Amino acid sequence: MPRCRFLPFVCAALMAVVSPLASAQSAEREWQAYEEALARGERQANVWQYGWAGVYATTLAVNAYQASEASDRDDRYDARVGVVKSALALGGTLMDRQPHPAAYRELRQSDGNLESARRLMQAVVAEERRRRSLESRLGSLAVNLASGLLIGVGDGRERDGAINFATGMLVSELQLQTQPRQATAAINRFQPARVSFGDIHLEGEYALLVTPHQLGVALRY
C-alpha cells in the first residue's frame, strides 16, 4: 500500500516524457482538422454563391420578359416587382462573399502557428453565426415586405401580396440555411475533458477526427 503514494510521481514522470510527443501529434491533427474544414467550406461557398447567383439571374431574366410580354395585367405588375427583388438579391449574392475561401488561403499561406489558426477559425465561426442571425434577415424582410405591400395594398390584391411576401421569405431563409458552416462544426468537435492521476489534474479538450484514410483523437491542453 505505501507504494501507492508514489503513483502520482510516476504518472507525472510518464507525462513529462509522453506529453511533448502527444502534444505535437495533437497539434498536427488539430491543424489538419481546421485545414480540411476550411477546404470544404471553400468548395461549398463557391457552389452556394454561383448556384444562388444563377437562380436569381434566371428569375431576373424571366421577370424582365414577363414585365413586358405577359398577357395579364397583374402578371406584368408582379413581374416588375420581381425584377427589383431579383436584381437586389443577385447583387447581394455576388458582392457579399463567404469568408471561407479567403480564410483557407490565409491558413495555407501562414507560418503554421496553431494559435493564429485558432483565432482565424474563431473569426470564421463568428461570421458564420452573424450570417444566420436575426440581423442578417432584416434586409430580406424589408425587401419582401415592401414587395408584398406594393402588390397587396398598392395594387389592391391582398392575397397575392401575402403569397409574394411568404414565398420571398421562404427563399431567403433557404439561402441562409444553405450557407457553409464547416468552421462551426470543426470548433464544436472539441469537447472539454479532465484526467486525474492522484493529486495531478489535467484539463483540456479532445476531438474525434475521422477522415477517409485515418481515425484519430486530437488533444489540446
Side-chain angles (χ1 to χ4, degrees):
M1 293 299 295
R3 287 181 296 179
C4 295
R5 299 176 181 176
F6 297 99
L7 181 59
F9 300 101
V10 174
C11 293
L14 290 174
M15 290 297 296
V17 175
V18 176
S19 179
L21 178 60
S23 179
Q25 293 177 342
S26 174
E28 182 180 355
R29 291 181 181 276
E30 185 178 350
W31 180 278
Q32 183 181 10
Y34 293 159
E35 187 174 27
E36 291 176 352
L38 289 180
R40 293 194 304 271
E42 180 190 40
R43 290 192 295 270
Q44 185 178 343
N46 291 331
V47 171
W48 180 89
Q49 183 177 29
Y50 294 123
W52 281 105
V55 169
Y56 290 131
T58 301
T59 58
L60 177 60
V62 171
N63 283 323
Y65 176 81
Q66 289 286 94
S68 60
E69 301 300 326
S71 58
D72 185 76
R73 180 260 175 199
D74 291 345
D75 290 341
R76 291 195 300 272
Y77 186 91
D78 293 351
R80 287 194 290 271
V81 174
V83 165
V84 177
K85 288 178 60 176
S86 298
L88 290 174
L90 177 60
T93 301
L94 292 176
M95 295 177 62
D96 188 19
R97 295 185 176 276
Q98 296 286 334
H100 306 80
Y104 183 49
R105 288 193 299 270
E106 182 177 344
L107 184 69
R108 296 188 65 183
Q109 295 170 2
S110 65
D111 57 1
N113 184 277
L114 187 56
E115 287 300 322
S116 297
R118 289 172 180 169
R119 288 193 295 269
L120 177 63
M121 291 296 291
Q122 291 291 350
V124 178
V125 168
E127 180 64 12
E128 287 181 354
R129 291 173 179 169
R130 185 194 68 80
R131 288 172 172 270
R132 287 182 170 81
S133 65
L134 177 61
E135 180 183 354
S136 67
R137 292 171 167 83
L138 295 180
S140 61
L141 175 62
V143 171
N144 288 307
L145 181 60
S147 65
L149 290 175
L150 282 172
I151 296 173
V153 178
D155 202 42
R157 292 180 288 128
E158 293 83 359
R159 182 174 180 274
D160 290 344
I163 292 175
N164 184 280
F165 170 76
T167 303
M169 290 303 299
L170 179 62
V171 173
S172 298
E173 186 64 24
L174 182 61
Q175 183 182 9
L176 286 179
Q177 294 301 326
T178 53
Q179 294 180 110
R181 60 179 75 185
Q182 280 80 2
T184 300
I187 291 295
N188 289 341
R189 291 167 69 178
F190 286 89
Q191 302 296 328
R194 180 172 181 173
V195 179
S196 299
F197 297 98
D199 296 331
I200 300 176
H201 304 285
L202 299 176
E203 294 186 358
E205 295 177 317
Y206 75 94
L208 297 177
L209 303 179
V210 181
T211 68
H213 305 291
Q214 61 181 339
L215 172 66
V217 178
L219 304 173
R220 63 188 189 191
Y221 50 88

